[in-house]
Amino acid sequence: MDRLFNMDNKFFVFMGKIADLIILNLLCLVCCLPIVTVGASITAMFYVTLKMVRNEESYIVKSFFKSFKENFKQATIINLIMLVTALLLVLDLRIVNQLEGTVGQVLHVIFIAFMLLYLMIFLYIYPVLSKFYNSIRNTFVNAFLMSIRHLPYTILMLVISAIPIAIWFIPNTSILSTILMLFIMLGFATIAYCNSNFFVKIFDNYIPKEEDADNTENPDLLENHEEQA
C-alpha cells in the first residue's frame, strides 16, 4: 500500500508530467494570443521541455517566463521574418499554380522545395534560440545546418509535428471533438516534449563535453563548436 501511494511511483511521475505539460501548453497558448509574441512563447515552451527531458525542470511557470523575457526581442524579430517568408511562399505558390506548361511545373516543384526547407528551419529555429545565445543571423544559419546534418531526426520530428493535421481526418464527430479538446489542453507542449527528446541528442553534439551546464549558453558556443568541427 505504501508503494502504491509513493510519490516516486511511476503512475504519479507520469501524471505529474501530464500536469506539467497541461500548464505549459496553456501558458504557451495564452502568451501566443497577442500574435506578435508567438515566437517568444514557442521559444519559452522549448526552453522548458528541453529541461524536462533532462529532468532538470521543477518550476514550469518561472522557467517559461524567464525564457520568454530573455528571448523576447530576438524571438519576435525571428517570428516576423518567418511570418513574412511564409506569406511570400504562399503567394508565390498560388501564382505558380496558375501557370501552365513545363515552366509552371518546374516552378511548382521549386517552391514546394522552398516550403519544405522553410518547415525544416521553423522546426529548429526556436529550440536553437532557447538553448544557445547567438545573433539572429547565426541562429538561422545554425537552424538550417542542423536540420540538414541531422536529416533523419528532422524527418521524424516533421512527422510528429504533422500529427495535428491528421486529427482533422477523423470521421467520427464525437471522437474528433474529444481529441481536439485534449489537444488544446496539452497537444502543443506534448509535441514539443516529444521533439525535445531528439533536440537534446542533437544539441549534445554542439556542447563541448568539458564545459559545465552553466557554460552551454555562452553567446559564441554553438558557432565556435561548429568551426572546430
Side-chain angles (χ1 to χ4, degrees):
M1 185 64 70
D2 290 338
R3 292 180 60 187
L4 180 63
F5 292 99
N6 188 344
M7 295 307 294
D8 291 330
N9 184 293
K10 291 183 178 180
F11 173 77
F12 287 108
V13 172
F14 175 76
M15 293 306 296
K17 191 81 69 176
I18 294 296
D20 288 342
L21 289 174
I22 291 175
I23 294 171
L24 180 59
N25 192 76
L26 294 177
L27 275 174
C28 184
L29 288 177
V30 171
C31 291
C32 280
L33 291 178
I35 305 299
V36 71
T37 58
V38 168
S41 300
I42 297 175
T43 301
M45 178 175 64
F46 274 104
Y47 178 83
V48 175
T49 55
L50 286 169
K51 285 184 173 294
M52 289 175 66
V53 169
R54 294 183 182 274
N55 294 317
E56 299 174 351
E57 190 47 58
S58 57
Y59 301 103
I60 302 297
V61 177
K62 180 180 178 181
S63 294
F64 180 90
F65 285 109
K66 174 180 179 291
S67 175
F68 186 92
K69 181 180 178 181
E70 289 179 351
N71 296 301
F72 180 81
K73 182 178 179 180
Q74 283 191 321
T76 301
I77 295 173
I78 288 173
N79 182 52
L80 291 174
I81 293 173
M82 297 300 290
L83 181 60
V84 171
T85 303
L87 291 174
L88 290 175
L89 284 173
V90 170
L91 289 174
D92 288 336
L93 274 173
R94 292 187 63 179
I95 293 172
V96 167
N97 286 337
Q98 296 176 0
L99 298 177
E100 298 180 354
T102 305
V103 175
Q105 294 176 352
V106 171
L107 289 175
H108 183 79
V109 172
I110 291 174
F111 280 105
I112 289 295
F114 279 137
M115 185 66 75
L116 179 60
L117 182 61
Y118 171 89
L119 292 175
M120 291 166 62
I121 294 174
F122 184 88
L123 181 68
Y124 278 78
I125 192 77
Y126 299 111
V128 169
L129 178 61
S130 72
K131 183 61 179 176
F132 301 98
Y133 291 130
N134 222 318
S135 66
I136 292 175
R137 176 186 175 278
N138 286 340
T139 300
F140 272 101
V141 171
N142 291 327
F144 168 71
L145 292 177
M146 285 184 183
S147 68
I148 299 298
R149 289 175 182 174
H150 306 280
L151 192 59
Y153 281 144
T154 302
I155 294 173
L156 183 56
M157 287 189 289
L158 284 173
V159 172
I160 293 173
S161 300
I163 289 176
I165 299 176
I167 293 176
W168 294 102
F169 291 94
I170 298 176
N172 189 298
T173 305
S174 60
I175 296 177
L176 175 61
S177 59
T178 302
I179 293 178
L180 280 176
M181 183 179 66
L182 289 173
F183 186 82
I184 292 172
M185 287 180 61
L186 53 82
F188 295 106
T190 301
I191 290 175
Y193 179 79
C194 292
N195 286 343
S196 290
N197 284 274
F198 302 109
F199 282 125
V200 164
K201 296 178 181 178
I202 293 171
F203 292 163
D204 282 347
N205 294 304
Y206 304 93
I207 301 174
K209 300 300 181 183
E210 66 274 11
E211 297 289 340
D212 57 43
D214 291 335
N215 291 332
T216 59
E217 295 183 352
N218 182 282
D220 300 318
L221 178 59
L222 182 55
E223 181 179 2
N224 291 342
H225 187 75
E226 288 186 341
E227 288 175 355
Q228 292 173 6

